[in-house]
Amino acid sequence: MIQREITTVVIFVLLLTALKAQGNEKYTIGFSQCTMIDIWREEMVREMRTEIGIRPDLDLIMKDAHDDSKKQIQDIHELVEADIDLLIVSPNESEPLTPVVSKVYKSGIPVILIDRKINSEDYTAFIGADNFQVGSEAGSYIAKLLEGEGRILEIWGLYGSSPAKERHKGLLSVLANHPEIEIAHSETGKWLWSRGKKVMKEQLDSGHQFDLVFAHNDFMAHGAYLAAKEKGVENDYYFVGVDGLSGPEGGVQHVLEGRLDATVLYPTGGYKAIQVASKILNNKEYKRENILNTVLIDSTNARIIKTQTETVQSLQTKIQKHRDIFDQQMERFKSQRFLLTISVFFLVLVISLTILLFRSYRTKMKVNKKLQKQKDEIEKRNNEITNQQQELIKVNKELENATQMKLRFFTNISHELRTPLTLILGPLEKVIKEDKYSRDDLKMFKMMHRNATRMIRLINELMDFRKLESNRLKLHAAKHDLVSFMSQIKNSFEELAIQKNIEFNLENEVERLELYFDKHQMDKVMFNLLSNAFKHTPEHGRITITLSEGELDFDKTRKEGVQVKVTDNGKGMSKEHVNYVFKRFYNIDQQKTEAHFPGTGIGLSLTKGLVALHKGIIKVDSRKGEGTSVIMNFPKGKEHLNEEELVQEEIEEKEPKHFIPEEALYTPEIMVNESAGQKQEQYFETFMVLVVEDNKDVREYIGDSLGEAYTIIEAANGREGLEKLRDEGPDLVIADIMMPEMDGLEMTKALKSDIRTCHVPVILLTALSSLENKLEGIEYGADSYIPKPFNSKHLEVRARKLIENRQTIRRHYQDDVNFDPDDSNDLNQLDKRFLNNAINLVEKNINNEALSVEILSQKLGLSRVHLYRKVKHLTGMTVSEFIRSTKLKKAAQMIRTSGLTFSEIAYETGFSSPSYFTKCFKDHFNISPKEYSASSKK
């Protein structure tokens, strides 16, 4: 036994001797920390011990002042007296620790600051996270959680500590870009769990309003959560902390268990401190400022962080175990040193010691190889973990950027439209109720109110969709009579059914049907389904809501439930579209079907999500050309709903204001055109304008903007516009570009390439206002291009100028004896060709007294009506007047150049007698042929 112990002692003596021979000098590091947070202290100590475990040349002496700055100053003095080679300090407060740390540094002992700095530059290196970045990371996440609007309760650490101040500044730097987010209240929690809980309890008791708690560490955040939980309001607030430590009481575990929404990782820096210390003591190159990376931990990455941390801790345990074994052997060596001294004096052991020396050498080599292998493996694993952490940070940033891009659309709508629309709707509703405006004014106000309400509905639908996507849309269900509720829904659509001549029925087997559901969400479901049904059901069609109860299918199980079925006999859908109808952003119009289904593509996806919130199912049965049935099954009772999804009837929110379909908002009495009869009487005295626009409100607005000076006719799309253009022969066309069936560009191209209509000027209206869009419109033949939103005065002036331009051409044609269509810059090529053909045709038959309208229309290939409109629009004359005018202009030329008598010219140009010729000539030119001849010779 003694020989075995002596052998062990000798092995260690030889091992240490070999290490000394390799030049591995032993250094002592003193570490002074000052924190009352056990888990944070334990994490830092564990990291330091792990790193020390693979560095036999380093020893560590630790002292903890437990949140007492005076005690920490005393600890530093004691460490210096212990003859340390390097000091690591985690200051409790910057100001009190600055003098003593500066003194140590100036005495020649290297100083590493960890976690926070002192108020001077007297230190060798600094290791810590950027607290400003920590605050800004938390701020960015908070802005996302609050959707750009809310109030924050901020629980500080210590007001005087630099981490607390920097985290607060980082938070403010982000909130500066979100003016709708404010810090409602700030209070110090002194880094303690109990203080965080106390602050939260005081704020809840005081009734202060806030939406989110941001604590400067996870312990205070957890304390605030527990205070809220005691009052049963923990789900009313968001909780965000800082540290992201592992373990059952760490921030990562709180995030996984839903107590915290997120925590910002604040690395302790234990590994890095020992690594930098080793470099300094061994005169290797090192960085003075070592900023540790941070990352935001939420439900998306907490599990990965925890797994990696547990792996690291497992390695740390193994390393510490080996270090402990080594230390135990060293202790045994020290305790047996006396025996070793005695053994030297026993010569009988000389041979044994020689043998042991040989064996110890072999053992040392094996131990060195094993330790080196372990060290290499640990360093390799550390590098892998570091790389994984860096990759995780990179992936997290990419995911965050992708999420921001995805949600930017919703955020922009929420912040840019909702508030101004609210400020528009309020005053409009007040104005509409007042009894001091004319009928025309009220008509305009109601049109504005109708469209603003439509935008609010679209925004609400998008926001509900976003909440549904992020699992933040909650039910507030109570027991209601479904029959009564559906009757109210039916009443909201009754006016629309009357307007479209659609038979609209509600069929129910019983007078009362009780069901647990959220009235607000069910209202949105029915609005979407009925809006689609009315949109795609033709006049004299049929729409039916059917309510029934019984044993129904629910995802491969059958149980008692209520069925709601919405059936129509409208256009229907093909099987291809039925399979994708609930897919988000799926729009049938984008699949290039014949029907036009405008929309965002999220209505039915939202509907399915709302039904699923009620634990119901929804399916569609549709056949193209026959109609569509949407079937929804809802379970009876309330066992399928969570407690937080239920509300008491007596405390339930007020009755939802049922959505009214926008088509039903066109009140019949407002649609009456008071001047219809007057316009009918003035048809031939005013100019006619065709307005082609798929939005009824915009058509009305354009008509009102042009006023009584024009007769307005309307068309809802380009195809209908072309038909009215050919039937009515307007003087001007105002058309939108983006329309169903045929857009404005196609319509413009068609009318400008048709000899019957190419003379009609066209104004295009569109929201596409880029230079490329304008050039495209002009290439299609448009005479003017006005972007939306447009000024009504601008539109009226452009319309008037285009018509006046046509009148100028007519006067020019009538007054100029030598008018040549080819010289006119205001006529298109088709119109020039038409006038030249018509003039040449008349001149070729100039001496034919029987040349009539019928002959001219036949020769030119136009009907009498279209020939009349064409000639009237281009020249301002009837066809007969045009023929006579052409003959008289030819006669005027002959008077100047032919030398014939007036009688000869009269017969030559097809007039029945010289006297009739003279009368017509004087009526046209306001001068007799004789006077004209005399004036032309001057």
Side-chain angles (χ1 to χ4, degrees):
M1 176 68 72
I2 296 175
Q3 184 178 5
R4 185 182 305 163
E5 291 178 351
I6 293 173
T7 299
T8 303
V9 172
V10 170
I11 289 173
F12 274 94
V13 169
L14 293 174
L15 175 62
L16 292 175
T17 302
L19 291 173
K20 287 289 185 179
Q22 295 176 7
N24 290 335
E25 186 180 351
K26 201 76 170 177
Y27 297 107
T28 302
I29 299 173
F31 173 46
S32 171
Q33 66 173 345
C34 189
T35 176
M36 295 182 68
I37 303 173
D38 292 338
I39 187 171
W40 200 88
R41 178 178 66 250
E42 291 170 0
E43 182 71 17
M44 180 178 288
V45 171
R46 180 165 52 247
E47 290 183 1
M48 286 187 172
R49 287 191 181 280
T50 300
E51 193 67 29
I52 286 286
I54 62 174
R55 300 181 185 276
D57 60 328
L58 300 181
D59 277 335
L60 183 66
I61 302 175
M62 292 186 293
K63 287 186 176 291
D64 194 337
H66 296 284
D67 202 31
D68 187 340
S69 296
K70 292 182 179 179
K71 176 68 167 56
Q72 188 172 25
I73 294 172
Q74 181 182 344
D75 288 345
I76 292 174
H77 286 301
E78 292 176 1
L79 288 171
V80 172
E81 292 173 359
D83 198 23
I84 58 175
D85 298 294
L86 182 144
L87 174 65
I88 299 177
V89 181
S90 176
N92 182 47
E93 293 179 285
S94 301
E95 187 70 29
L97 271 294
T98 298
V100 66
V101 173
S102 296
K103 181 179 179 182
V104 173
Y105 176 78
K106 291 176 180 178
S107 70
I109 299 176
V111 175
I112 297 177
L113 298 179
I114 189 168
D115 184 32
R116 67 193 68 173
K117 293 184 177 180
I118 59 175
N119 293 342
S120 78
E121 296 295 319
D122 294 335
Y123 60 88
T124 308
F126 168 75
I127 297 167
D130 186 344
N131 282 287
F132 184 88
Q133 181 187 0
V134 169
S136 63
E137 286 282 348
S140 299
Y141 184 77
I142 288 169
K144 181 181 76 172
L145 274 183
L146 296 180
E147 300 176 1
E149 181 177 358
R151 294 165 61 85
I152 300 172
L153 169 61
E154 183 180 12
I155 304 180
W156 282 56
L158 290 173
Y159 280 134
S161 69
S162 58
K165 291 189 286 186
E166 289 298 312
R167 292 173 190 178
H168 176 68
K169 289 179 182 178
L171 175 65
L172 292 181
S173 71
V174 175
L175 296 188
N177 298 322
H178 300 276
E180 299 299 324
I181 301 179
E182 61 175 336
I183 298 177
H185 188 74
S186 296
E187 185 67 51
T188 178
K190 297 184 177 180
W191 306 109
L192 300 178
W193 170 88
S194 58
R195 287 287 299 176
K197 183 177 181 181
K198 180 181 179 183
V199 170
M200 184 67 177
K201 186 176 184 302
E202 290 174 352
Q203 293 301 309
L204 292 175
D205 291 341
S206 67
H208 289 162
Q209 297 296 317
F210 54 92
D211 306 291
L212 181 144
V213 177
F214 171 53
H216 284 195
N217 67 14
D218 293 335
F219 306 100
M220 295 188 292
H222 184 220
Y225 169 84
L226 293 178
K229 187 173 182 181
E230 289 177 0
K231 292 184 176 293
V233 295
E234 70 274 14
N235 293 327
D236 294 344
Y237 304 96
Y238 297 107
F239 297 88
V240 178
V242 175
D243 282 344
L245 298 177
S246 59
E249 296 301 322
V252 175
Q253 190 64 32
H254 291 328
V255 171
L256 285 173
E257 295 178 0
R259 294 190 285 268
L260 299 184
D261 291 276
T263 177
V264 182
L265 176 64
Y266 189 80
T268 60
Y271 292 124
K272 193 68 175 179
I274 299 301
Q275 292 169 4
V276 174
S278 178
K279 290 180 179 180
I280 293 172
L281 293 171
N282 288 287
N283 296 319
K284 295 182 179 180
E285 185 178 353
Y286 65 92
K287 288 176 62 177
R288 188 169 190 264
E289 300 292 331
N290 299 271
I291 305 302
L292 303 176
N293 290 324
T294 185
V295 65
L296 185 112
I297 303 172
D298 61 7
S299 58
T300 64
N301 60 359
R303 183 66 61 188
I304 297 174
I305 296 292
K306 182 181 179 183
T307 302
Q308 291 184 338
T309 303
E310 289 174 349
T311 302
V312 173
Q313 290 176 350
S314 175
L315 290 173
Q316 291 173 347
T317 302
K318 292 179 181 179
I319 293 170
Q320 188 61 42
K321 183 177 180 181
H322 286 290
R323 176 72 182 193
D324 291 343
I325 292 173
F326 183 80
D327 291 341
Q328 289 174 8
Q329 295 294 337
M330 290 300 296
E331 289 297 324
R332 292 180 64 185
F333 163 72
K334 292 176 182 178
S335 65
Q336 294 177 1
R337 182 179 297 174
F338 178 72
L339 292 176
L340 178 62
T341 304
I342 295 176
S343 66
V344 174
F345 294 99
F346 293 91
L347 296 176
V348 292
L349 297 178
V350 172
I351 298 175
S352 298
L353 289 176
T354 304
I355 296 172
L356 289 176
L357 179 63
F358 175 74
R359 289 183 177 179
S360 68
Y361 176 76
R362 291 181 60 190
T363 303
K364 185 205 74 166
M365 296 301 296
K366 291 181 180 179
V367 170
N368 279 347
K369 289 181 179 180
K370 186 176 181 180
L371 287 174
Q372 185 63 41
K373 183 178 179 181
Q374 290 178 343
K375 179 179 178 181
D376 293 340
E377 182 180 351
I378 291 170
E379 288 183 348
K380 180 180 178 182
R381 296 300 297 271
N382 280 340
N383 290 334
E384 290 176 355
I385 291 172
T386 301
N387 292 336
Q388 289 176 353
Q389 288 177 338
Q390 294 296 330
E391 186 65 25
L392 180 62
I393 292 172
K394 180 180 178 182
V395 170
N396 188 64
K397 290 291 185 183
E398 292 174 353
L399 289 174
E400 181 67 20
N401 291 336
T403 301
Q404 289 300 320
M405 290 176 65
K406 180 180 178 182
L407 299 181
R408 190 175 295 116
F409 169 68
F410 302 103
T411 304
N412 287 343
I413 286 182
S414 174
H415 291 285
E416 299 299 330
L417 293 180
R418 183 171 255 169
T419 299
L421 280 174
T422 302
L423 296 176
I424 291 172
L425 280 170
L428 271 178
E429 290 171 354
K430 181 179 179 181
V431 167
I432 291 173
K433 292 178 181 178
E434 294 178 354
D435 192 21
K436 63 180 182 180
Y437 296 99
S438 68
R439 191 178 186 84
D440 287 339
D441 290 338
L442 285 175
K443 176 182 174 183
M444 188 71 69
F445 294 152
K446 290 188 177 183
M447 178 183 69
M448 294 163 62
H449 183 273
R450 183 164 59 244
N451 283 277
T453 303
R454 180 186 181 192
M455 290 186 70
I456 284 289
R457 179 179 64 77
L458 289 173
I459 291 170
N460 289 338
E461 184 177 84
L462 290 172
M463 296 308 295
D464 285 341
F465 176 72
R466 176 185 173 184
K467 290 180 181 177
L468 194 64
E469 255 200 336
S470 58
N471 297 320
R472 300 194 67 84
L473 189 61
K474 303 299 182 183
L475 280 185
H476 298 87
K479 185 192 292 184
H480 303 292
D481 178 13
L482 187 62
V483 176
S484 173
F485 178 80
M486 289 299 174
S487 297
Q488 297 174 28
I489 295 290
K490 180 178 181 293
N491 291 338
S492 298
F493 282 81
E494 204 64 68
E495 181 65 31
L496 179 59
I498 294 172
Q499 290 181 27
K500 298 190 70 172
N501 293 320
I502 290 176
E503 180 184 342
F504 185 32
N505 298 312
L506 172 62
E507 298 178 355
N508 48 289
E509 298 175 349
V510 294
E511 293 298 321
R512 183 176 179 84
L513 190 55
E514 292 185 344
L515 182 70
Y516 279 86
F517 63 92
D518 186 328
K519 281 189 174 183
H520 294 274
Q521 308 304 341
M522 189 67 78
D523 189 79
K524 297 170 186 174
V525 169
M526 294 306 298
F527 174 81
N528 277 330
L529 296 181
L530 289 175
S531 293
N532 279 337
F534 275 96
K535 185 185 299 182
H536 306 309
T537 301
E539 287 194 7
H540 307 295
R542 183 178 64 258
I543 298 175
T544 304
I545 304 174
T546 306
L547 307 179
S548 60
E549 60 181 338
E551 194 173 272
L552 303 173
D553 290 325
F554 291 92
D555 293 332
K556 300 181 181 180
T557 62
R558 290 184 63 81
K559 55 185 175 181
E560 288 296 316
V562 173
Q563 185 173 94
V564 180
K565 182 190 292 186
V566 178
T567 306
D568 66 68
N569 63 344
K571 298 176 181 179
M573 294 177 286
S574 64
K575 186 176 180 180
E576 172 192 358
H577 294 306
V578 170
N579 293 335
Y580 295 98
V581 71
F582 291 118
K583 184 178 179 182
R584 65 188 62 179
F585 308 124
Y586 184 80
N587 193 310
I588 294 180
D589 185 43
Q590 295 171 353
Q591 314 309 314
K592 301 191 181 300
T593 59
E594 294 180 1
H596 177 69
F597 296 84
T600 60
I602 65 172
L604 289 177
S605 176
L606 175 63
T607 298
K608 182 179 181 181
L610 295 177
V611 172
L613 280 180
H614 288 83
K615 308 302 185 292
I617 63 171
I618 183 171
K619 56 185 178 180
V620 173
D621 181 19
S622 182
R623 290 177 176 81
K624 194 167 185 179
E626 297 182 14
T628 301
S629 292
V630 181
I631 303 164
M632 298 176 288
N633 295 345
F634 297 96
K636 278 192 170 183
K638 61 180 179 179
E639 292 76 15
H640 56 284
L641 299 173
N642 300 326
E643 277 190 32
E644 58 267 21
E645 294 177 328
L646 294 170
V647 296
Q648 298 295 326
E649 288 187 79
E650 58 269 19
I651 64 172
E652 186 189 1
E653 298 178 20
K654 64 181 181 180
E655 289 287 323
K657 183 177 180 182
H658 296 291
F659 287 115
I660 298 176
E662 57 201 54
E663 295 91 338
L665 293 174
Y666 292 96
T667 311
E669 61 269 18
I670 287 188
M671 297 302 294
V672 175
N673 191 337
E674 295 176 328
S675 59
Q678 181 181 9
K679 286 188 176 181
Q680 211 45 26
E681 295 173 1
Q682 298 175 349
Y683 180 87
F684 294 106
E685 299 177 5
T686 59
F687 295 100
M688 182 185 295
V689 177
L690 170 61
V691 179
V692 188
E693 163 66 60
D694 59 339
N695 186 294
K696 187 175 183 65
D697 283 334
V698 177
R699 293 201 302 271
E700 287 185 18
Y701 177 68
I702 292 173
D704 293 341
S705 298
L706 295 178
E708 299 295 329
Y710 303 90
T711 298
I712 306 298
I713 57 175
E714 298 179 357
N717 57 65
R719 196 176 305 281
E720 183 183 337
L722 278 179
E723 293 174 0
K724 290 201 173 184
L725 186 71
R726 290 160 182 163
D727 292 339
E728 302 292 341
D731 298 282
L732 175 68
V733 174
I734 300 175
D736 189 15
I737 287 184
M738 299 181 69
M739 293 183 293
E741 297 193 34
M742 178 185 285
D743 62 32
L745 291 175
E746 294 174 359
M747 184 197 73
T748 301
K749 183 177 180 181
L751 76 87
K752 288 295 184 179
S753 59
D754 189 337
I755 190 63
R756 297 171 294 176
T757 56
C758 64
H759 58 274
V760 180
V762 177
I763 297 177
L764 288 180
L765 302 175
T766 181
L768 305 174
S769 59
S770 69
L771 179 59
E772 291 79 6
N773 298 128
K774 293 180 180 180
L775 292 175
E776 184 181 21
I778 293 173
E779 287 175 358
Y780 274 79
D783 296 86
S784 185
Y785 191 104
I786 300 179
K788 293 181 180 178
F790 56 86
N791 182 280
S792 60
K793 184 64 178 176
H794 181 200
L795 177 63
E796 189 273 331
V797 170
R798 290 300 301 142
R800 174 161 48 82
K801 288 298 181 182
L802 283 173
I803 291 176
E804 287 177 356
N805 185 48
R806 288 298 188 266
Q807 289 177 307
T808 301
I809 296 173
R810 295 168 191 167
R811 287 194 296 269
H812 186 45
Y813 178 83
Q814 294 171 6
D815 298 337
D816 189 355
V817 175
N818 299 312
F819 178 85
D820 185 353
D822 291 330
D823 294 336
S824 175
N825 294 325
D826 297 316
L827 293 174
N828 58 50
Q829 292 301 319
L830 282 179
D831 288 337
K832 290 179 180 179
R833 190 181 307 127
F834 169 81
L835 280 178
N836 282 326
N837 290 340
I839 292 171
N840 292 336
L841 187 59
V842 173
E843 290 181 350
K844 287 180 181 179
N845 296 274
I846 198 166
N847 57 2
N848 182 4
E849 295 182 14
L851 182 62
S852 63
V853 176
E854 288 77 7
I855 295 174
L856 198 60
S857 65
Q858 184 180 1
K859 295 287 186 180
L860 292 174
L862 294 174
S863 67
R864 280 179 56 96
V865 173
H866 286 113
L867 178 61
Y868 173 84
R869 290 175 180 168
K870 187 78 176 177
V871 172
K872 185 72 174 176
H873 190 95
L874 292 175
T875 67
M877 295 182 286
T878 65
V879 180
S880 298
E881 291 171 342
F882 172 79
I883 295 172
R884 184 164 59 248
S885 173
T886 303
K887 288 182 176 183
L888 290 171
K889 287 183 179 181
K890 185 63 176 178
Q893 293 176 9
M894 293 173 70
I895 290 173
R896 295 197 310 269
T897 62
S898 68
L900 298 175
T901 65
F902 297 145
S903 296
E904 290 172 335
I905 292 174
Y907 291 119
E908 188 70 23
T909 54
F911 285 87
S912 57
S913 66
S915 60
Y916 181 65
F917 165 71
T918 301
K919 178 181 182 302
C920 292
F921 192 99
K922 188 171 184 179
D923 289 340
H924 187 79
F925 294 109
N926 295 319
I927 189 173
S928 68
K930 184 177 181 180
E931 293 170 338
Y932 180 82
S933 176
S935 64
S936 64
K937 293 178 181 178
K938 292 181 180 179

